[in-house]
Amino acid sequence: MEENKEIADLGYGDATLLWMLKYHRCVECLVGVDIAAQPFEWGGGRLSPGVGGFIIPRELDLTITLYRGSAVQKDSRLRGFDLITCIELIEHLDSEDLAKFPEVVFGYFSPGMVVISTPNSEFNPLFPASTFRNPDHRFEWDRKQFQTWALDVGKLYSYSVEFTGVGDPPAGAEHVGYCTQIGVFQKNIAKATGSSISEPEEHVYEVVYRTSYPSLQQRKYFRFTLSIEVVKAVDLMKSRFLRGLRKKEGDRVVPLGRCTPQHGLTEAQRAEIEQSPKPYSVGENFYVPLERLIIYPKVNHLVAGNMEKLRTVLAEGLRLNQDQTAVQVELVDYNTQHLFDEHLVSPVLES
Amino acid sequence: MSGRARVRARGMARSPSAAEPGRTSAPPSPSPWPPSVDTGDNEASSTSGFVGTSRMSQKCEDSLSSGNARCTFIERGGKIRRDFMDLAVCTREKLAHVRDCKRGSSGVPVKLVTNLFRLDLPQDWQLYQYHVAYVPDLESRRLRIALLYSHKELSNKTKAFDGVILFLSQKLEEKVTELSGETPRGETVKITVTLTRELPASSPVCTQVFNIIFRKILKKLAMYQIGRNFYKPSEPVEIPQHKLSLWPGFAISVSQFESSLLFTADVSYKILRNETVLEFMTRIYQETDTSCFTQTCEKQLLGLIVLTRYNNKTYRIDDIDWSVKPTHTFQKRDGTEITYVDYYKQQYDITLSDLNQPVLVSLLKSKRNDNTEARVAHLIPELCFLTGLTRQATSDFQLMKAVAEETRLSPLGRQQHLARLADDIQRNKDARFELETWGLHFGCQMSLTGRVLPSEKILMQDHVCQPASAAEWSKDMRNCKILSARSLTKWLIVCSHRDENVTEDFLHCLRRAGSAVGFNVDYPKIMKVQENPAAFLSVLQKHVDPHVQLVMCILPSNQKSYYDCIKKYLSCVFPVPSQCVLARTLTRQGMMMSIATKIAMQMACKLGGELWAVEIPLKSLMVVGIDVCKHEFSKGMVVVGFVASINPGITRWFSRCTLQRTTTDVADCLKVFMTGALNRWYKQNHALPARIIVYRDGVGDGQLKTLIEYEVPQLLSSVTEASSNTSTKLSVIVVRKKCLLRFFMELNRSVQNPPLGTVVDSEATRPEWYDFYLISQTASRGTVTPTHYNVIYDNNGLKPDHMQRLTFKLCHVYYNWPGLISIPAPCQYAHKLTFLVAQSIHKEPSLELANSLFYL
């Protein structure tokens, strides 16, 4: 899974597979193709980013595109993917289309990996009705038929194949094999060679839906996410600072004890943070040195340890001190504030 | 393609299964439904005309779901929007004097722009309602929809379908249409589509369908539905300092107004907090004693609405289970056991960082109305975000200021947002297509004519003042004597040792200010105490005796416990009017005299004094205000406040307040309260009032029917019992401060708030009601929200014009503010009373205080 950045699902149906794939962090491009693709009745449905996706953006970009089209039509936008899945698709193809299918998927699209699943007809006697599982099926293969076809295709387009399946047979009928058989095709040659062949762009599929996800690659989401992480760290330090013992050092007030959160960090991380420059207050303001903030694991991960990046990004959204070495916030303990201080400024006098 | 392999491979089955004995658990799992954000509604309304206790209103919808496609139609019972239920309550037809015309006449006409848009339909437009049956029956709604939509007869028609009822704008050829379809498993299903009704555009069912159509359209404009409203995540306003983002959006509604079908849209902001429940708990952990950590967490979190990171759903936190950890297992729907950690890793590629966090428990509402055991969802705090604002956050002045600054929109800003929405709807290809196929035409923004009522004179003791601005007349009142005041001769001041000097200075000002307005304040006994609530309380216990007229406490800090314990003692245990003042407010330079004047006036009221009056043309009129407020702690408890005027000049008030289990019980106490008020009036005036006008505030959506069926009869029976030979007339008016409607006045190619006293009683009103809008407050920086008045019962038979003017007059006599307020004074008094009881004293205040404004 980890190296699959671009994935296409041919015959995506109700998009459940695409929906499951969209959660994977490594995926950057998801494409669905279905002959019966319809625009969504209600916006993007479950393929759209969702509210949570805006609050915690993904690390990597993700675009999802749905096309109306057939698995036996060539469209250059699907070439060179990492993975193409065809779940319960081939049995719906008539013999003419089935003949074209390998040429399009393996020959033309030529992804790094192909996963094809189809019913195993040997399993059928276990069902009450002994016809095809779906009247639209043109054929249902036994294991031998599928494997022969798959091995031939693999040989022709230079993919190695492994077979597996889902749906274990009941006890006593182990000989029939899985309910659904799966062929996993791995391309033999390195992927890079595909790009050298230049073929004309062919756009046959019709786009029915497209969305892109907010991600940390986009400046505004990155800035907001980083600012929020910093504010969270600062708030926790401020609350410890206000509750702990302090002493005056020149014009600064500094904490006497530790000023790290008690929770959510390992002992080693806490120790490292304690070694860094301490937060301090001057007058009504509280300052946390960037050198301290950058040690916080989440902050560190976001800026990859780059202090300059931390400084410039924070300067856009938060207030820094004059020489831009610390974040500045007001030293107010919000928790003890209460509304009725405002009696005399609000239109209504109270109490 | 067959879904079977997938179903097997992914372990999805539909029936929930028990996770632990005695408890059913369904983790938030891949839902078979299209994702919807159902929600808690917690938006900061972008209003600024806060008069009254100015807090951002924070309200959670009781119902978690007001789903999108999930919305079911009227016939299936259940989830019909509650505000639409109110529209079906036709009260006007019973009121003969307004059946033909409910418009007033006085005042100067003013041209207003509204946030209403015309929706036009062809003359003979009809909606066709079909019933859709499946044989064999299918449980999955998604499957039902997919099968029906796959048919050519229907796929190219515009439709609304919830799985059972189908609406079409074009009739099918046959009354009964037989179709067949196949499930992914290959079963053949017979689908019978039967025409059940043909509905005219004016039907309430059509209104419901129009609302569904517009929800669909807004989603197509890339907006997200959260609660009932729609928000644009692409243009967030970010406030990183407070870990908040605000999504701009709209509250929308389509409904039948006085003469036509109209679309309403008002700008709304959704507050999203970039803080997980785990982080919130961590903060509590750090800031409180370990011993009361779990307690504090529960107090702060229970009842809040959280949003899960992965599936776009919202849940209410009903409990926290400290015994369950992410490393524990639960049973998936297919029966296999898995730990929470593994589940989230496999399903959503999310790694949990804290393996010791507890789980949040949310009771799930059953989708069907059967009596199956309530299901619960276990949620991981690390994966849940808080939505809206916690109580703690709303009391954070800095935060609220930051939010208000972003959400407060000028009339022009609001108008620009509206224009953009209208433009988007008209330009978007999908939206236009949707409207066209239904035969709807989205028209222009509506203008109408309102009236500005004449301004009121303020009657002082020996002076009649015509304020320069009705918004605030404290300057005009300077050096005027108040109507009446009792001398304050025996009273106490309690303050901390540290505040002794401040108190002395303040006392000096207070006495000066008092004598300037005709309120004599003698020198009090001053008690100095330690800085803690218990010390304050013990001094009160020791030194307050029955001769003490009033107690003033100078509070060293704004900790709620000071205020609460003082108010509790002096309102319930030993009833004496009390005045709390924050020491900090007394140190404001240059403001001392104006602060002292305000406090002097407030104290005069608490002793039963009268500040000012307006002319009341009706000779024997009692006005009543009723408000209902949620209890601070006890869920399901409400506080009902009742305030009635007890003299013809409407300057003196009687009050009652009680705590009750639910709002439906409100009626029970009203009869007692009303009778009490009538007795009080009789004692004072030796006759009963000729007329009573009741203003009822705190009415939720969908409660109108209850009001008419239970509350009005209770009030009536009290009145008829009291006045067996004379006949006292009664009117009941429902007051609503929150409404979607906005009015703007066009001026020099820009728009601004309409002038004070603007009344709208046509076009934007409802045909089935005797209602009007009144703007009686200023919004200095934002857009003013008109107050909606709905006269639901009226045998006074006052002309609409008189009713409107009387209501306007009553907005002038709230003694806590020398100016106009957004609702009639009795409502604001009732609100103040319920707020005090709900937030601080949590008990019925003593009856001995009933004749004074002790709750100011």
Side-chain angles (χ1 to χ4, degrees):
Chain A
M1 193 66 225
E2 275 60 42
E3 62 277 21
N4 294 322
K5 282 185 180 175
E6 296 178 303
I7 304 177
D9 185 22
L10 304 184
Y12 65 82
D14 66 0
T16 303
L17 180 61
L18 293 173
W19 169 75
M20 295 182 76
L21 289 170
K22 80 167 196 175
Y23 288 105
H24 289 270
R25 280 178 287 187
C26 58
V27 179
E28 290 181 64
C29 169
L30 271 179
V31 167
V33 180
D34 203 295
I35 195 113
Q38 289 280 338
F40 286 104
E41 269 271 288
W42 293 87
R46 54 181 176 167
L47 294 185
S48 66
V51 180
F54 286 90
I55 300 177
I56 293 200
R58 297 166 49 91
E59 284 210 14
L60 301 175
D61 282 327
L62 168 64
T63 57
I64 300 181
T65 314
L66 299 182
Y67 295 110
R68 178 165 32 238
S70 152
V72 295
Q73 281 173 298
K74 290 180 181 173
D75 188 302
S76 56
R77 289 169 293 190
L78 264 78
R79 301 195 67 195
F81 274 41
D82 297 300
L83 169 65
I84 286 184
T85 55
C86 308
I87 308 300
E88 309 291 87
L89 171 78
I90 55 169
E91 65 277 9
H92 292 269
L93 303 176
D94 60 28
S95 52
E96 200 182 315
D97 282 344
L98 184 66
K100 282 190 222 156
F101 175 83
E103 211 288 286
V104 175
V105 174
F106 293 89
Y108 184 76
F109 294 156
S110 190
M113 199 206 289
V114 181
V115 175
I116 293 176
S117 83
T118 190
N120 168 17
S121 64
E122 291 165 79
F123 198 94
N124 287 359
L126 298 174
F127 292 124
S130 58
T131 52
F132 284 165
R133 297 180 194 178
N134 182 320
D136 188 52
H137 286 181
R138 306 302 151 90
F139 59 85
E140 283 179 4
W141 281 336
D142 60 24
R143 280 173 289 177
K144 184 146 195 290
Q145 287 169 305
F146 177 57
Q147 289 177 10
T148 312
W149 176 84
L151 288 166
D152 285 350
V153 169
K155 204 164 165 193
L156 187 57
Y157 297 99
S158 150
Y159 280 79
S160 55
V161 199
E162 278 173 49
F163 298 97
T164 174
V166 286
D168 290 322
E174 287 82 359
H175 63 279
V176 303
Y178 293 114
C179 177
T180 292
Q181 45 186 339
I182 295 173
V184 180
F185 301 73
Q186 200 81 47
K187 200 172 180 177
N188 291 337
I189 38 163
K191 192 182 154 193
T193 55
S195 56
S196 61
I197 315 156
S198 67
E199 279 194 41
E201 291 277 305
E202 274 182 89
H203 292 190
V204 182
Y205 297 163
E206 182 195 346
V207 177
V208 295
Y209 174 72
R210 172 166 284 163
T211 188
S212 50
Y213 278 58
S215 87
L216 297 181
Q217 306 301 312
Q218 297 152 36
R219 180 102 181 153
K220 76 170 178 178
Y221 293 109
F222 179 77
R223 183 183 58 218
F224 191 57
T225 305
L226 181 65
S227 305
I228 293 283
E229 279 312 325
V230 164
V231 170
K232 283 173 186 169
V234 169
D235 277 0
L236 285 172
M237 268 182 266
K238 188 174 86 180
S239 108
R240 288 224 70 177
F241 180 80
L242 282 164
R243 278 162 188 74
L245 295 170
R246 285 158 281 181
K247 69 168 182 214
K248 207 149 164 78
E249 265 180 16
D251 60 340
R252 290 183 177 187
V253 177
V254 295
L256 270 176
R258 309 185 83 184
C259 207
T260 33
Q262 294 142 299
H263 203 82
L265 294 171
T266 65
E267 207 40 64
Q269 284 166 340
R270 266 204 289 269
E272 196 187 347
I273 291 169
E274 269 316 304
Q275 307 263 305
S276 66
K278 291 201 174 198
Y280 56 91
S281 74
V282 177
E284 292 291 291
N285 291 322
F286 180 66
Y287 299 89
V288 181
L290 298 183
E291 280 179 64
R292 187 180 187 89
L293 286 167
I294 204 161
I295 299 169
Y296 277 73
K298 284 184 183 168
V299 176
N300 195 288
H301 176 76
L302 281 168
V303 297
N306 183 335
M307 180 59 90
E308 209 35 53
K309 192 170 180 186
L310 180 66
R311 194 192 322 276
T312 47
V313 176
L314 288 187
E316 290 170 30
L318 298 176
R319 175 173 296 187
L320 301 185
N321 65 350
Q322 214 138 50
D323 55 3
Q324 303 226 315
T325 53
V327 172
Q328 175 193 328
V329 294
E330 282 174 64
L331 190 68
V332 186
D333 193 353
Y334 295 124
N335 298 338
T336 58
Q337 280 219 335
H338 194 269
L339 206 80
F340 52 89
D341 189 20
E342 294 313 308
H343 295 168
L344 294 164
V345 289
S346 78
V348 179
L349 182 75
E350 287 192 5
S351 284
Chain B
M1 157 168 40
S2 154
R4 169 181 288 166
R6 286 187 185 179
V7 168
R8 282 184 174 256
R10 288 154 209 172
M12 282 167 60
R14 294 214 51 205
S15 64
S17 50
E20 296 168 39
R23 158 178 285 172
T24 344
S25 164
S29 54
S31 153
W33 310 106
S36 68
V37 184
D38 332 349
T39 103
D41 221 354
N42 231 324
E43 53 265 345
S45 60
S46 41
T47 320
S48 95
F50 288 125
V51 168
T53 19
S54 64
R55 305 183 72 204
M56 283 284 174
S57 70
Q58 189 198 10
K59 187 181 159 201
C60 274
E61 293 285 328
D62 305 336
S63 115
L64 267 176
S65 163
S66 54
N68 48 10
R70 194 187 289 174
C71 159
T72 34
F73 303 122
I74 291 172
E75 287 74 7
R76 298 186 63 195
K79 293 176 201 157
I80 155 166
R81 269 179 68 160
R82 283 177 289 172
D83 48 343
F84 285 132
M85 278 159 50
D86 289 338
L87 287 177
V89 180
C90 307
T91 40
R92 186 179 175 185
E93 58 189 20
K94 296 200 188 80
L95 308 172
H97 64 298
V98 289
R99 213 172 283 151
D100 298 326
C101 175
K102 61 177 180 186
R103 306 190 58 175
S105 51
S106 53
V108 185
V110 58
K111 190 119 174 101
L112 302 170
V113 183
T114 64
N115 58 342
L116 295 164
F117 295 83
R118 293 192 190 283
L119 284 180
D120 300 317
L121 288 163
Q123 198 114 70
D124 52 350
W125 191 91
Q126 281 203 308
L127 186 68
Y128 301 94
Q129 182 182 333
Y130 291 86
H131 181 263
V132 185
Y134 296 81
V135 180
D137 196 21
L138 297 176
E139 211 191 334
S140 157
R141 205 177 68 102
R142 188 185 269 191
L143 191 54
R144 281 169 162 259
I145 293 172
L147 285 189
L148 188 77
Y149 282 19
S150 65
H151 280 278
K152 286 217 171 53
E153 289 87 335
L154 289 160
S155 61
N156 53 4
K157 281 202 171 59
T158 173
K159 56 204 167 286
F161 183 50
D162 69 345
V164 176
I165 294 162
L166 171 72
F167 289 102
L168 297 173
S169 64
Q170 290 161 318
K171 208 169 176 176
L172 293 174
E173 271 174 36
E174 304 294 330
K175 195 166 181 295
V176 179
T177 311
E178 298 275 0
L179 301 167
S180 75
E182 278 137 25
T183 65
R185 293 177 187 224
E187 273 178 299
T188 305
V189 177
K190 216 173 85 187
I191 309 171
T192 315
V193 182
T194 316
L195 181 67
T196 50
R197 285 208 276 180
E198 297 184 12
L199 301 155
S202 58
S203 152
V205 179
C206 290
T207 310
Q208 192 94 11
V209 173
F210 293 141
N211 276 281
I212 293 169
I213 296 168
F214 271 93
R215 289 216 291 272
K216 219 191 241 184
I217 288 171
L218 265 68
K219 287 211 165 166
K220 293 205 166 164
L221 297 177
M223 293 201 222
Y224 280 65
Q225 185 174 5
I226 303 179
R228 266 186 211 164
N229 303 343
F230 291 84
Y231 300 94
K232 271 187 215 162
S234 52
E235 297 161 25
V237 177
E238 288 163 355
I239 312 180
Q241 298 83 337
H242 296 289
K243 294 169 275 188
L244 294 177
S245 30
L246 303 172
W247 288 12
F250 297 93
I252 61 149
S253 168
V254 178
S255 55
Q256 199 71 40
F257 282 82
E258 202 69 45
S259 53
S260 53
L261 184 70
L262 300 172
F263 170 80
T264 327
D266 189 23
V267 180
S268 157
Y269 285 88
K270 182 76 194 168
I271 298 174
L272 291 164
R273 301 176 58 184
N274 296 65
E275 184 172 36
T276 66
V277 174
L278 181 67
E279 284 162 342
F280 186 77
M281 288 171 135
T282 308
R283 209 145 50 90
I284 294 177
Y285 184 73
Q286 185 167 311
E287 289 168 6
T288 55
D289 258 345
T290 337
S291 59
C292 55
F293 170 64
T294 56
Q295 242 182 328
T296 316
C297 276
E298 283 168 12
K299 196 172 147 195
Q300 295 271 357
L301 288 167
L302 298 196
L304 290 187
I305 304 294
V306 294
L307 178 79
T308 53
R309 170 174 162 187
Y310 42 85
N311 70 355
N312 221 12
K313 283 198 181 140
T314 51
Y315 300 86
R316 178 191 293 270
I317 305 177
D318 293 304
D319 199 4
I320 300 172
D321 193 334
W322 301 91
S323 66
V324 180
K325 303 276 169 239
T327 45
H328 291 191
T329 63
F330 67 95
Q331 200 169 39
K332 282 209 295 193
R333 291 183 171 192
D334 65 352
T336 56
E337 292 270 328
I338 187 165
T339 64
Y340 292 96
V341 192
D342 293 345
Y343 174 79
Y344 287 103
K345 182 69 201 162
Q346 284 174 20
Q347 190 73 41
Y348 300 112
D349 202 11
I350 296 173
T351 311
L352 297 181
S353 71
D354 185 334
L355 301 181
N356 285 315
Q357 55 191 316
V359 299
L360 308 176
V361 181
S362 178
L363 298 172
L364 299 176
K365 287 218 167 168
S366 174
K367 289 196 184 84
R368 278 150 285 147
N369 293 331
D370 46 15
N371 295 325
T372 48
E373 198 186 338
R375 296 191 305 141
V376 299
H378 279 173
L379 309 165
I380 306 294
E382 191 176 347
L383 305 180
C384 295
F385 295 101
L386 296 162
T387 64
L389 297 171
T390 52
R391 194 183 302 128
Q392 193 189 337
T394 46
S395 65
D396 180 341
F397 179 63
Q398 306 280 348
L399 185 155
M400 295 311 284
K401 205 170 99 186
V403 171
E405 256 160 32
E406 297 295 347
T407 57
R408 196 187 284 139
L409 278 179
S410 68
L412 184 62
R414 201 168 281 271
Q415 173 62 16
Q416 284 162 345
H417 271 85
L418 287 175
R420 223 178 107 191
L421 174 70
D423 202 51
D424 285 348
I425 292 176
Q426 282 158 336
R427 281 203 197 165
N428 183 283
K429 197 174 57 130
D430 289 338
R432 222 176 39 215
F433 177 77
E434 187 76 29
L435 284 171
E436 275 166 15
T437 45
W438 282 102
L440 280 163
H441 177 257
F442 190 84
C444 56
Q445 202 168 348
M446 200 176 80
S447 297
L448 50 77
T449 307
R451 284 173 294 115
V452 183
L453 297 180
S455 60
E456 293 290 330
K457 291 197 248 341
I458 305 302
L459 315 178
M460 305 295 291
Q461 199 186 71
D462 40 21
H463 184 77
V464 172
C465 97
Q466 183 74 58
S469 159
E472 216 232 297
W473 58 71
S474 54
K475 281 204 190 83
D476 309 82
M477 243 168 47
R478 210 172 275 161
N479 305 322
C480 291
K481 298 255 183 297
I482 57 175
L483 287 179
S484 80
R486 258 179 234 173
S487 285
L488 182 55
T489 49
K490 188 165 188 325
W491 64 301
L492 276 182
I493 290 185
V494 187
C495 66
S496 70
H497 294 286
R498 197 166 49 145
D499 297 326
E500 195 185 345
N501 292 337
V502 183
T503 304
E504 287 284 354
D505 292 350
F506 169 63
L507 183 60
H508 178 70
C509 292
L510 185 72
R511 298 183 63 200
R512 245 177 59 203
S515 75
V517 298
F519 173 40
N520 175 45
V521 180
D522 284 350
Y523 202 82
K525 188 170 169 187
I526 299 178
M527 317 286 306
K528 280 153 292 197
V529 297
Q530 294 289 318
E531 273 186 40
N532 66 68
F536 273 76
L537 185 61
S538 84
V539 155
L540 297 180
Q541 284 164 337
K542 248 184 249 156
H543 297 274
V544 178
D545 62 57
H547 303 292
V548 171
Q549 290 172 282
L550 184 135
V551 179
M552 175 180 278
C553 297
I554 309 296
L555 306 182
S557 97
N558 47 15
Q559 257 180 56
K560 198 162 168 288
S561 50
Y562 278 106
Y563 187 80
D564 290 1
C565 82
I566 291 164
K567 289 289 173 185
K568 224 176 255 176
Y569 184 73
L570 295 177
S571 303
C572 307
V573 186
F574 202 100
V576 173
S578 55
Q579 178 74 39
C580 293
V581 180
L582 274 174
R584 204 184 333 163
T585 42
L586 303 182
T587 55
R588 289 191 197 175
Q589 296 302 317
M591 284 185 67
M592 195 55 116
M593 236 8 233
S594 80
I595 289 168
T597 306
K598 283 179 173 177
I599 291 177
M601 300 255 241
Q602 218 174 28
M603 287 163 63
C605 292
K606 289 181 180 179
L607 292 170
E610 301 150 284
L611 303 189
W612 63 81
V614 290
E615 245 171 77
I616 301 292
L618 298 168
K619 281 299 141 247
S620 174
L621 168 73
M622 174 197 268
V623 292
V624 174
I626 300 172
D627 197 5
V628 178
C629 181
K630 277 187 189 150
H631 194 281
E632 188 189 9
F633 304 123
S634 321
K635 223 173 139 192
M637 287 291 274
V638 294
V639 179
V640 185
F642 176 102
V643 173
S645 62
I646 47 171
N647 64 340
I650 312 193
T651 53
R652 314 194 51 176
W653 304 88
F654 166 84
S655 67
R656 287 295 305 269
C657 188
T658 193
L659 285 80
Q660 298 211 329
R661 193 132 296 282
T662 56
T663 28
T664 47
D665 296 331
V666 167
D668 302 340
C669 61
L670 291 186
K671 189 174 173 186
V672 181
F673 289 176
M674 192 71 217
T675 307
L678 287 169
N679 288 341
R680 185 65 219 152
W681 178 285
Y682 193 87
K683 247 187 226 163
Q684 184 94 12
N685 308 291
H686 313 295
L688 286 170
R691 301 171 186 278
I692 301 173
I693 296 182
V694 176
Y695 289 92
R696 168 72 157 91
D697 200 352
V699 181
D701 283 338
Q703 291 181 353
L704 211 50
K705 197 157 173 273
T706 323
L707 245 67
I708 288 158
E709 288 176 354
Y710 300 102
E711 291 189 21
V712 175
Q714 292 292 314
L715 292 168
L716 262 180
S717 84
S718 160
V719 171
T720 44
E721 274 171 35
S723 58
S724 48
N725 37 13
T726 55
S727 58
T728 298
K729 302 280 199 291
L730 176 75
S731 304
V732 180
I733 305 174
V734 172
V735 181
R736 301 209 64 171
K737 291 182 293 265
K738 252 182 127 181
C739 58
L740 283 189
L741 238 63
R742 302 287 185 155
F743 302 113
F744 312 111
M745 190 171 69
E746 274 180 306
L747 202 84
N748 307 331
R749 291 216 214 117
S750 176
V751 291
Q752 62 177 45
N753 284 320
L756 281 168
T758 300
V759 168
V760 172
D761 55 9
S762 64
E763 294 186 82
T765 51
R766 307 287 186 172
E768 51 282 273
W769 293 343
Y770 167 18
D771 63 337
F772 59 92
Y773 293 90
L774 171 63
I775 292 169
S776 57
Q777 80 277 32
T778 40
S780 50
R781 283 198 281 162
T783 312
V784 70
T785 315
T787 305
H788 183 246
Y789 295 89
N790 183 7
V791 186
I792 57 168
Y793 181 84
D794 184 16
N795 67 11
N796 269 306
L798 293 180
K799 283 188 198 158
D801 195 54
H802 293 165
M803 194 59 113
Q804 293 167 4
R805 292 197 59 184
L806 180 71
T807 304
F808 184 52
K809 281 171 184 288
L810 293 174
C811 297
H812 289 76
V813 292
Y814 181 61
Y815 290 162
N816 243 0
W817 178 244
L820 265 167
I821 61 167
S822 63
I823 54 175
C827 282
Q828 188 62 33
Y829 286 133
H831 172 74
K832 202 73 182 53
L833 173 60
T834 52
F835 192 76
L836 174 74
V837 173
Q839 292 288 316
S840 299
I841 67 180
H842 308 123
K843 259 198 280 190
E844 216 168 294
S846 167
L847 277 178
E848 284 179 48
L849 295 169
N851 295 317
S852 70
L853 296 168
F854 71 94
Y855 40 83
L856 278 191

